[in-house]
C-alpha cells in the first residue's frame, strides 16, 4: 500500500548544484503535482501534470523543470540550486473523474541549499 | 485572485477542549473546500471536504460547514485529543476544464493538545 513515494527524503546541496527529486504513485492516478512548503506560507504549487504527456506551470515555477516520465512518475529538477529553494517539497497525485477526488500526498523531501 | 486565510497559530489546548480553527476564502466562481491535516514527518492527508454551499464535511469528530454568505469554512471539534496535534490546512479548489485539481492552500495552523 505504497501510495505516493518520494525520493530522497533529505538532501543538502551547494548553491549552483543540480538535482532531481523523484516521485512515483501506484494508484493509477491521472494527475500529479509538485508543491513546496515554506513556514507561514502553506503549500504552493510549482508544476502539475493533468495527464500523461502534459505539464503546466503552477504558482511558483521559476527555477524548476518537470518531467512526466510515464503515468506513474513525475520528477522535479533544480538545474542550478539557490538558497531560496530551501524548502520541503511534496508530490501529490489525484484521479480525474466525476466528483471531487482528493489529492494523495507523499511524505516530502526536505531540501537545504547552502 | 483566489486565496485562503486561516487563523494564525500556534494553537494550544488542553485535552477535551473545544476546537475552532477559522478559515475564510476569496475565489472567483464556486470552489470546493477542503481541510487537510499534516502529522509530524508526514505528508498531508485529506480530513474532510465540502463541494457546495451549506454542505457539511465531517470525519474523525471534526466538522466544517461551507458558508457562502460569509465565505468561510471553519473547522470544529467538540473534544480534542492529544492525537489531534498536527498542522491543519484549509484549501480551495476551483473547477478545471483539464481535470487537474489546482488547490490553493492557507498558511496552516499548528495545533498542540496537552494532556
Amino acid at each position: 500500500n505504497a501510495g505516493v513515494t518520494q525520493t530522497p527524503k533529505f538532501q543538502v546541496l551547494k548553491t549552483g548544484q543540480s538535482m532531481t527529486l523523484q516521485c512515483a504513485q501506484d494508484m493509477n492516478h491521472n494527475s500529479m503535482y509538485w508543491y513546496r512548503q515554506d513556514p507561514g506560507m502553506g503549500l504552493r504549487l510549482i508544476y502539475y501534470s493533468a495527464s500523461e504527456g502534459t505539464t503546466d506551470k503552477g504558482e511558483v515555477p521559476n527555477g524548476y523543470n518537470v518531467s512526466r516520465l510515464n503515468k506513474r512518475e513525475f520528477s522535479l529538477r533544480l538545474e542550478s540550486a539557490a538558497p531560496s529553494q530551501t524548502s520541503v517539497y511534496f508530490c501529490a497525485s489525484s484521479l480525474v473523474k466525476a466528483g471531487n477526488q482528493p489529492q494523495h500526498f507523499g511524505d516530502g523531501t526536505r531540501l537545504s541549499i547552502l | 485572485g483566489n486565496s485562503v486565510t486561516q487563523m494564525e497559530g500556534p494553537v494550544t489546548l488542553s485535552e477535551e477542549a473545544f476546537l475552532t480553527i477559522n478559515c475564510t476564502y476569496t475565489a472567483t466562481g464556486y470552489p470546493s473546500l477542503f481541510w487537510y491535516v499534516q502529522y509530524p514527518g508526514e505528508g498531508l492527508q485529506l480530513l474532510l471536504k465540502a463541494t457546495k454551499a451549506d454542505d457539511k464535511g465531517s470525519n474523525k469528530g471534526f466538522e466544517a460547514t461551507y458558508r457562502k454568505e460569509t465565505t468561510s469554512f471553519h473547522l470544529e471539534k467538540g473534544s480534542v485529543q492529544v492525537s489531534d496535534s498536527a498542522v491543519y490546512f484549509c484549501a480551495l479548489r476551483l473547477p478545471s476544464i483539464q481535470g487537474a485539481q489546482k488547490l490553493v492552500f492557507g498558511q496552516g495552523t499548528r495545533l498542540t493538545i496537552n494532556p
Side-chain angles (χ1 to χ4, degrees):
Chain A
N1 193 20
V4 178
T5 302
Q6 292 183 236
T7 56
K9 294 190 183 303
F10 304 94
Q11 185 69 49
V12 178
L13 295 177
K14 295 181 179 178
T15 297
Q17 287 185 315
S18 62
M19 172 164 190
T20 300
L21 279 59
Q22 306 288 351
C23 175
Q25 53 90 10
D26 62 2
M27 296 172 284
N28 202 33
H29 285 172
N30 314 73
S31 298
M32 299 185 73
Y33 315 80
W34 276 104
Y35 295 90
R36 59 178 290 173
Q37 183 182 25
D38 300 296
M41 301 187 73
L43 276 75
R44 292 180 293 170
L45 183 65
I46 304 171
Y47 270 93
Y48 68 100
S49 170
S51 60
E52 187 179 356
T54 69
T55 61
D56 285 286
K57 295 179 180 179
E59 182 184 355
V60 288
N62 291 345
Y64 305 95
N65 285 301
V66 291
S67 295
R68 183 75 182 266
L69 303 170
N70 47 56
K71 191 171 186 179
R72 290 186 65 250
E73 299 173 288
F74 188 40
S75 62
L76 178 72
R77 183 160 178 85
L78 287 70
E79 289 291 351
S80 180
S84 61
Q85 295 177 304
T86 293
S87 187
V88 182
Y89 291 85
F90 287 97
C91 178
S93 68
S94 67
L95 182 64
V96 177
K97 67 174 192 179
N100 283 284
Q101 302 303 310
Q103 289 189 17
H104 296 257
F105 286 80
D107 287 343
T109 295
R110 188 174 296 276
L111 185 60
S112 294
I113 315 297
L114 305 178
Chain B
N2 304 309
S3 65
V4 176
T5 302
Q6 294 179 229
M7 67 184 287
E8 291 199 18
V11 175
T12 302
L13 297 172
S14 297
E15 204 165 22
E16 299 183 1
F18 184 85
L19 167 71
T20 300
I21 300 177
N22 290 337
C23 170
T24 57
Y25 67 90
T26 302
T28 54
Y30 301 95
S32 296
L33 301 174
F34 303 83
W35 277 100
Y36 280 83
V37 58
Q38 184 181 31
Y39 298 104
E42 299 182 9
L44 280 68
Q45 303 173 24
L46 178 67
L47 181 60
L48 53 84
K49 66 181 181 183
T51 58
K52 60 183 187 297
D54 299 325
D55 268 1
K56 177 185 283 187
S58 62
N59 186 25
K60 299 181 181 180
F62 291 89
E63 293 183 340
T65 300
Y66 189 141
R67 301 287 188 198
K68 185 180 176 186
E69 64 276 14
T70 54
T71 62
S72 65
F73 192 54
H74 304 322
L75 183 68
E76 297 182 335
K77 186 173 186 181
S79 177
V80 292
Q81 307 301 312
V82 172
S83 58
D84 293 327
S85 298
V87 181
Y88 291 81
F89 292 92
C90 184
L92 68 81
R93 188 205 114 177
L94 291 167
S96 169
I97 295 173
Q98 288 180 303
Q101 298 184 358
K102 294 173 67 175
L103 291 171
V104 176
F105 286 89
Q107 71 270 36
T109 302
R110 182 175 299 278
L111 173 67
T112 301
I113 307 300
N114 293 322

